[in-house]
């Protein structure tokens, strides 16, 4: 059914091998390089220039056409502007999830299927669907599911948890059944060894190797405020802006030898509450309020008839962290988008603005954006969440 595929070529080894596998399996393949950011680094070099050269190198080696699309404006409006607004509000956003949601699996997806009139898209993500790596078992009316790939260490379903489920129906993940080590070996065999030496991109793409505090100063003005000890309520230092700090981060306060860590941020008073010690109870949370639930599994748990029951599943808020058991409650009977997540095991530095991503043993079920994370032992705000649960 699917014969023509547009593959997103990033200039990295994963998308290159994805394109190779597609061609080897008989698909007509078109490569598309997405330009999402347009800024020069401190050395005067555009960070995307080398990626484009590597994308051209890949397509020349594989004998496929490469085209370019420019999403700089859309990325700025949908991802970067939201990123800045969140930091000004004391949140810590995840631009990778937003990029997949708004750019790769929306604009790029529509460009490939509607404008270019191709059958499907493919990416170098380590992810999997129940239709197979090349949609070989696709059935038009069968529900699609986002599954954990073979390489569980490289698993990128976390970053795909915010996309629209329907886009998965016509998305191929050629690397779903391969380990990263196997992908590198394939790259060498098909003449793309150069890409295996390329350093993998980590962190926020538009920040690059720069110090984050210096980067964010370019866009958000400093606003000094107090560091306040969460136990004694005493002022223990000053900061230059709550946007420069995130929950769980260590604060090196010159007047104190003991280590303080960010526990909470109060935007209204521009106060950062800090806790003494890496394992201070206020740094842990087991009650999470999250909004904008995006459900990827076949059936939304709170939209079917008589679906008032809590849902037991697994949770993570950072893609490298182990999964923990949790229970999801709907906030109210008439609201299917806002949820309360109760963790079986408290976790450290659960951060507002990040995403609660939900799993079964084999599947990424969906995600919701964290608004508040509280501990039920001694936290002065936890009664608010308890009352929400009791009234659900």
């Amino acid at each position: 059914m699917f014969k023509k595929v547009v593959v997103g070529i990033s200039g990295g080894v994963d998308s290159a091998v994805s394109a190779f596998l597609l061609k080897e399996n008989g698909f007509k393949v078109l490569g598309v390089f997405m330009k999402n950011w347009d800024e020069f680094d401190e050395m005067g070099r555009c960070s995307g220039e080398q990626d484009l050269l590597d994308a051209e190198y890949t397509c020349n080696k594989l004998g496929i056409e490469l085209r370019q699309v420019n999403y700089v404006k859309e990325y700025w409006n949908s991802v970067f502007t939201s990123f800045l607004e969140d930091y000004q509000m004391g949140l810590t956003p995840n631009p990778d999830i937003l990029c997949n949601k708004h750019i790769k699996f929306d604009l790029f997806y529509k460009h490939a299927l509607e404008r270019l009139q191709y059958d499907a898209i493919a990416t170098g993500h380590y992810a999997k669907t129940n239709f197979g790596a090349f949609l070989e078992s696709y059935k038009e009316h069968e529900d699609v599911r986002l599954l954990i790939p073979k390489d569980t260490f490289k698993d990128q379903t976390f970053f795909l948890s915010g996309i629209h489920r329907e886009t998965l129906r016509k998305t191929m993940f050629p690397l779903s059944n391969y380990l990263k080590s196997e992908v590198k070996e394939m790259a060498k065999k098909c003449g793309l060894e150069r890409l295996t030496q390329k350093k993998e991109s980590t962190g926020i793409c538009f920040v690059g190797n720069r110090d984050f505090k210096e980067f964010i100063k370019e866009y958000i003005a400093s606003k000094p405020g107090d560091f306040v000890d969460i136990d004694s309520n005493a002022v223990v230092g000053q900061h230059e802006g709550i946007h420069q700090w995130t929950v769980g981060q260590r604060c090196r306060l010159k007047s104190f030898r003991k280590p303080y860590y960010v526990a909470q941020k109060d935007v209204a008073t521009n106060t950062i509450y800090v806790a003494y010690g890496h394992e201070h109870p206020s740094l842990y949370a087991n009650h999470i309020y999250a909004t904008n639930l995006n459900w990827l599994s076949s059936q939304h748990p709170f939209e079917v008839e008589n679906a008032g029951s809590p849902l037991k599943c697994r949770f993570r808020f950072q893609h490298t962290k182990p999964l923990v058991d949790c229970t999801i409650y709907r906030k109210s009977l008439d609201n299917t988008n806002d949820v309360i997540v109760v963790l079986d095991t408290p976790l450290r530095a659960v951060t507002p603005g990040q995403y609660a991503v939900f799993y079964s043993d084999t599947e990424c079920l969906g995600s919701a954006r964290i608004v508040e994370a509280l501990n039920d032992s001694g936290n002065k705000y936890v009664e608010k969440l308890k009352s929400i649960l009791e009234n659900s």
Side-chain angles (χ1 to χ4, degrees):
M1 178 182 292
F2 299 103
K3 297 180 179 179
K4 301 191 301 179
V5 184
V6 178
V7 58
I9 300 290
S10 66
V13 67
D14 295 328
S15 63
V17 171
S18 295
F20 166 75
L21 289 170
L22 286 163
K23 190 174 180 184
E24 285 290 294
N25 280 272
F27 292 95
K28 178 183 177 181
V29 181
L30 172 66
V32 171
F33 178 84
M34 286 171 269
K35 183 176 182 180
N36 298 331
W37 189 247
D38 192 17
E39 181 176 294
F40 291 85
D41 63 22
E42 59 271 20
M43 301 299 292
R45 298 169 301 199
C46 180
S47 57
E49 285 182 355
Q50 185 58 53
D51 290 335
L52 176 57
L53 290 174
D54 289 334
E56 292 172 342
Y57 162 81
T58 295
C59 291
N60 286 335
K61 282 283 187 181
L62 298 180
I64 62 176
E65 181 186 356
L66 178 68
R67 299 183 189 177
Q68 298 181 51
V69 290
N70 189 314
Y71 293 136
V72 170
K73 180 179 178 181
E74 292 84 355
Y75 188 92
W76 182 279
N77 292 333
S78 299
V79 179
F80 190 64
T81 299
S82 295
F83 172 86
L84 294 179
E85 290 174 350
D86 284 345
Y87 267 103
Q88 287 177 311
M89 295 173 62
L91 303 174
T92 302
N94 191 314
D96 291 325
I97 288 180
L98 291 179
C99 180
N100 283 325
K101 177 180 179 180
H102 295 294
I103 307 298
K104 295 177 183 177
F105 290 85
D106 185 18
L107 294 177
F108 170 63
Y109 179 87
K110 291 174 181 176
H111 177 75
L113 272 63
E114 297 173 9
R115 185 170 180 179
L116 299 179
Q117 294 292 298
Y118 272 61
D119 300 323
I121 67 166
T123 72
H125 287 96
Y126 287 83
K128 188 175 184 178
T129 72
N130 53 309
F131 293 144
F134 304 107
L135 305 183
E136 59 267 29
S137 63
Y138 178 85
K139 294 181 178 62
E140 187 173 352
H141 300 295
E142 184 179 340
D143 287 322
V144 63
R145 294 182 292 139
L146 181 62
L147 305 177
I148 297 171
K150 177 181 177 179
D151 194 328
T152 55
F153 179 77
K154 288 292 295 181
D155 176 13
Q156 292 174 301
T157 56
F158 181 94
F159 300 108
L160 300 173
S161 63
I163 69 176
H164 295 294
R165 179 164 63 97
E166 283 304 305
T167 62
L168 291 170
R169 301 184 65 82
K170 295 184 178 181
T171 298
M172 297 181 184
F173 297 114
L175 306 185
S176 61
N177 295 316
Y178 294 98
L179 300 174
K180 180 73 175 193
S181 57
E182 295 172 322
V183 170
K184 287 187 173 183
E185 284 303 312
M186 278 190 283
K188 293 175 183 178
K189 290 178 181 178
C190 66
L192 296 170
E193 184 172 4
R194 171 176 127 186
L195 299 182
T196 66
Q197 308 301 319
K198 189 174 181 180
K199 186 177 180 181
E200 289 200 48
S201 58
T202 57
I204 302 173
C205 60
F206 46 77
V207 177
N209 295 322
R210 288 171 288 182
D211 177 77
F212 179 78
K213 290 183 181 179
E214 293 303 314
F215 168 82
I216 204 70
K217 283 180 182 178
E218 297 177 18
Y219 299 95
I220 301 177
S222 296
K223 186 180 179 182
D226 293 330
F227 284 117
V228 174
D229 187 302
I230 198 167
D231 293 318
S232 67
N233 213 36
V235 175
V236 292
Q238 280 72 45
H239 62 80
E240 294 185 1
I242 59 173
H243 58 277
Q244 297 184 15
W245 299 89
T246 190
V247 172
Q249 184 178 356
R250 182 171 179 176
C251 311
R252 297 186 182 277
L253 305 178
K254 294 180 180 179
S255 301
F256 297 86
R257 285 190 175 183
K258 59 184 181 181
Y260 272 110
Y261 297 84
V262 175
Q264 295 172 8
K265 297 190 287 186
D266 189 330
V267 179
T269 63
N270 197 33
T271 300
I272 297 177
Y273 289 95
V274 293
Y276 168 53
H278 188 271
E279 303 302 315
H280 191 283
S282 67
L283 297 171
Y284 284 79
N286 57 1
H287 287 67
I288 297 165
Y289 169 37
T291 189
N292 298 326
L293 180 65
N294 182 63
W295 204 251
L296 291 173
S297 192
S298 57
Q299 194 172 57
H300 194 296
F302 302 133
E303 286 185 347
V304 296
E305 187 177 359
N306 299 320
S309 301
L311 173 70
K312 291 187 177 297
C313 58
R314 311 189 80 187
F315 163 96
R316 65 162 52 107
F317 74 101
Q318 293 175 324
H319 82 284
T320 58
K321 298 296 184 182
L323 291 165
V324 300
D325 292 334
C326 73
T327 306
I328 307 175
Y329 300 82
R330 62 196 300 177
K331 180 182 175 183
S332 62
L333 292 177
D334 59 350
N335 187 330
T336 61
N337 289 319
D338 293 356
V339 296
I340 305 298
V341 184
V342 180
L343 307 179
D344 286 14
T345 304
L347 294 178
R348 186 182 184 277
V350 179
T351 310
Q354 293 284 295
Y355 284 80
V357 182
F358 307 110
Y359 289 84
S360 68
D361 289 339
T362 60
E363 179 181 358
C364 178
L365 302 173
S367 64
R369 195 159 189 249
I370 298 170
V371 176
E372 212 162 2
L374 311 173
N375 193 316
D376 64 3
S377 59
N379 191 300
K380 62 181 179 180
Y381 297 114
V382 79
E383 293 303 320
K384 180 165 56 177
L385 280 193
K386 283 186 175 180
S387 67
I388 290 174
L389 280 176
E390 291 168 359
N391 294 323
S392 294

